[in-house]
Amino acid sequence: MPHTTVFERHAPSDSAIAHLLEGSEHGSFWIADAPSARRPAVEEPLRADLAVVGGGYLGLWAALLAKQEHPGRRVVLLEAERIGWAASGRNGGFCEASLTHGEVNGRGRFPKEFDRLQQLGRENLDAIERTLAELRVDADFERTGLLNVAVEPHQVAWAEEAAADGDGEFLDAEAVRDEVDSPTYLAGVWNRRDAALVHPAKLARGLADACEALGVELYGGSPVGAVETDGSGPVRLPVNGTVVTADRVVLATNVFRSLLKRNRLMTVPVYDYVLMTEPLSDAQLADIGWTNRQGLSDMANQFHYYRLSRDNRLLFGGYDAVYHYGRRVEPGYEERRATFERLAGHLLTTFPQLEGIRATHRWAGAIDTCSRFCAFYGTARKGRVAYASGFTGLGVGSTRFAARVLLDLLGGTPTELTELKMVRSKPSPFPPEPLASTGINLSRWALNRADHNEGRRNVLQKTLDAVGLGFDS
């Protein structure tokens, strides 16, 4: 019979959960705290050397790197809404070195080049830190590392194995609770070098300001309707009843419906949910410890991630990852009472000493999920258009690497990055409905089942992975 998890065995009262959520505002704390300026909309024809479609991290890094490399070229960025309004303003702010969604996924998919990918990922994180300092981008960047914690007995062995593989320092129950004091912690592994924390909206806003300082032209309220080409001429992008024409185009639309038909089955939008509390008092912080301010994540298949903001608010998210039939991205999917109540309960199970605290904000965002759980890359229209998508929740750091890859692809000359198998290969597409919904929801069920069975993946989950319907929470 499946065993219960720690969050079921030690659930707080309904009244404690209700108190935590009472009065919380629906909307991203990050965006409310650091809104980006409104940019003008495209109103007349434009001609550019490079047009970037999408004003999230991928588009911003692509525009920034392109302008740094070729200051004399005209670079324009076209955003349908406001800079950083989607995933780039709603994520947890974990900026990780991994380009492959972790070692297990990376070694399994790219065994011959994984060690080099690890090195490239660390170089990429170093470059992010260096660039933010050089350009004076205030993104609340903290290179605090990531502490993965075991909250079930079988996860202790996973932590020991991760440490033995060089993924950090193993901490037993006493040592991990010396770092952060939760009665749920049985062990942990602390990787001090491969992760940082950022304020997501400040990062997007700061990159946008840096782009403009270099001469990139940023436009908001400018949705691109199509990618049009004719022979070997420039690419035409219909925008607001007029046209932007460019020699080269970067597509950085990620979770939203691809402008290239070939990619419309490659990703699915999966909704992730987050709570942000009021600032913790000095006494509450003392009860928890957490003086080293690491990012935290537990080691379950359905995992939680959590961290402190600069003003010591507690962000707590993850666990539920929800796909809605039809691949749609809809504002109505962002409010899900049952999930927010579940997160509130799990937060109080993790930190019972915080009972009585309130959440100030609750929100959700759609993650561009692909079947290999890390970004894929490609070109279209005779090499004049480059794209990347499918970051599956780890795009805060890897979007900068992806931007470098896309610019190399558009350059037309092979580089080390363009020759990587990770760049040259593609994930399996998700099938059309109703198979996509059936497969993804079965995989979610299997993940939950595994967490109730000492982490063991069943035959169904292995089969779904094999046919490209695997799912990562």
Side-chain angles (χ1 to χ4, degrees), residues 26-82:
H26 184 251
S28 167
F29 165 80
W30 305 123
I31 294 174
D33 189 54
S36 62
R38 290 194 178 275
R39 266 73 183 190
V42 172
E43 296 180 345
E44 58 185 25
L46 297 176
R47 182 70 169 85
D49 297 296
L50 174 69
V52 178
V53 182
Y57 296 144
L58 177 58
L60 292 166
W61 279 117
L64 182 73
L65 295 176
K67 196 65 174 177
Q68 286 179 324
E69 187 173 356
H70 298 288
R73 292 183 181 176
R74 188 179 188 187
V75 178
V76 302
L77 184 148
L78 310 170
E79 166 56 43
E81 299 284 343
R82 293 177 72 167

Side-chain angles (χ1 to χ4, degrees), residues 153-236:
H154 66 272
Q155 295 169 12
V156 175
W158 294 355
E160 291 173 335
E161 291 167 8
D165 289 339
D167 198 31
E169 174 191 358
F170 176 76
L171 304 177
D172 63 16
E174 181 179 359
V176 73
R177 291 189 65 174
D178 283 343
E179 285 295 327
V180 184
D181 189 12
S182 167
T184 66
Y185 295 172
L186 305 178
V189 57
W190 183 9
N191 186 319
R192 300 170 187 258
R193 65 181 175 181
D194 288 347
L197 299 176
V198 297
H199 185 305
K202 284 187 179 181
L203 177 59
R205 184 175 69 180
L207 290 176
D209 291 344
C211 282
E212 286 185 320
L214 292 173
V216 177
E217 300 167 43
L218 303 184
Y219 294 92
S222 299
V224 174
V227 176
E228 300 175 353
T229 52
D230 182 13
S232 58
V235 182
R236 292 166 48 87

